[in-house]
Amino acid sequence: MDEMAELDRLWADTPEATERDLAAARVALLARAAAPPGRRARPRTPTRRRYAFRLAAVGVLATALTAVIIATQVVLGGPGAPPANAQSVLELAARAAADQRDLVPGPGQYVHTKRRVQDLRNTRDPSGGPVLGYVVTGVEERWEPADPGKPWLLRERAESVTGDPVPRWLWDRGAEDTLYESSCPGQRAYVRLGTWPTDVEAVRAKLAARTGRDPVRMWAELQQLVAESVVRPSLSAALFQVASELKGIRLIGDAVDAAGRPGVAVTMDAGDGRRSELIFDRRTYHYLGERTVNTRDIQVKMPEGVYTSRKGTVTGTAVLAVDLVTALPEVAPKASRLRIPC
């Protein structure tokens, strides 16, 4: 047997790795290395020369395998190695989303989403002082029907507040239900997202038409669409791929979502004192959530007056659950009821 020819044949079956297929190449290489050799005539006691040659061949194979593993860790952000760049993270996120299934509710079912939310609010000081700005952190749940003509429910529960000191009664009202009714299908996120294509070129063209191809505007639109499209990963995959092509994106190796989960983030500076981020699990690259961070103090003008949103203020959402249910939960007796005209 010609060991060098065997090594050449082994490598010929493993294509040169790229950022997109290094993981698959590694698996293929390991499998071939572990496969038992075929039957062949050989002396029972190898000569010293043949034995030394085999040791050398094993060393070459081990060195090559180590190189593949190291390269894989660099690209995929394996143990001890950060992700290569923002583009790589988004491409991996697109692959992770493509491996998930879209939610397809049956007749009478509801799409249920649960998020932890950091929401910026403002109010005038009850004592007659200046306008106050603060961030309320809590949980938001939505139940949206796929069937037309049915109401959908928003349930919010505040948990804590940061920023300007405000009386607790202003922000902590327990669980609040809002029941929405409308014959207009576009009001519901699930139905609205169903009108979007999942082909990357078509998504790119639609976003360009809506934003004039401005990278900052496209990023802002993507951030909102990604947050909604957790019910439709096939769309998320296309959105991440388009996002990876934008100029101005950069990588944040350590980020935390609104639920306190660590991850990696891809960010873009909005140019107005804010930095917006998409956050992903650092191992699976599944989407965790989005957030916006003030990079400086921002003066916010409201009808009630002007207040300062401080540097370091964080708003955003973190996905906690996405599933299908057969009915709305029991609605609170004092729920707000809103009818939205088309």
Side-chain angles (χ1 to χ4, degrees), residues 215-232:
V216 174
R217 290 179 59 193
M218 286 186 73
W219 179 263
E221 185 89 3
L222 280 162
Q223 186 181 27
Q224 179 179 348
L225 285 168
V226 165
E228 292 183 333
S229 66
V230 291
V231 301
R232 196 180 179 210

Side-chain angles (χ1 to χ4, degrees), residues 243-267:
S244 72
E245 303 165 359
L246 296 180
K247 294 182 178 180
I249 59 173
R250 60 186 181 87
L251 175 68
I252 297 180
D254 293 298
V256 179
D257 70 3
R261 298 172 298 193
V264 296
V266 176
T267 182

Side-chain angles (χ1 to χ4, degrees), residues 171-248:
W171 61 269
D172 187 4
R173 300 177 183 177
E176 295 182 279
D177 284 2
T178 304
L179 192 67
Y180 293 89
E181 295 182 84
S182 175
S183 59
C184 187
Q187 295 291 346
R188 292 167 291 164
Y190 177 79
V191 177
R192 184 172 65 254
L193 290 172
T195 66
W196 276 75
T198 57
D199 176 75
V200 175
E201 291 187 7
V203 169
R204 184 190 301 113
K206 188 166 184 174
L207 282 169
R210 291 162 66 105
T211 62
R213 298 184 182 276
D214 178 78
V216 174
R217 290 179 59 193
M218 286 186 73
W219 179 263
E221 185 89 3
L222 280 162
Q223 186 181 27
Q224 179 179 348
L225 285 168
V226 165
E228 292 183 333
S229 66
V230 291
V231 301
R232 196 180 179 210
S234 60
L235 175 57
S236 298
L239 293 171
F240 293 144
Q241 193 63 49
V242 173
S244 72
E245 303 165 359
L246 296 180
K247 294 182 178 180

Side-chain angles (χ1 to χ4, degrees), residues 238-309:
L239 293 171
F240 293 144
Q241 193 63 49
V242 173
S244 72
E245 303 165 359
L246 296 180
K247 294 182 178 180
I249 59 173
R250 60 186 181 87
L251 175 68
I252 297 180
D254 293 298
V256 179
D257 70 3
R261 298 172 298 193
V264 296
V266 176
T267 182
M268 178 178 285
D269 192 329
D272 60 357
R274 297 177 300 163
R275 181 184 74 236
S276 57
E277 304 171 359
L278 299 178
I279 306 173
F280 305 93
D281 183 281
R282 63 174 65 255
R283 183 178 61 86
T284 66
Y285 295 93
H286 287 151
Y287 173 75
L288 296 179
E290 52 80 29
R291 71 175 191 169
T292 299
V293 183
N294 286 8
T295 57
R296 59 174 172 82
D297 288 355
I298 300 175
Q299 298 296 309
V300 181
K301 296 181 179 180
M302 302 296 296
E304 298 82 4
V306 178
Y307 72 94
T308 301
S309 181

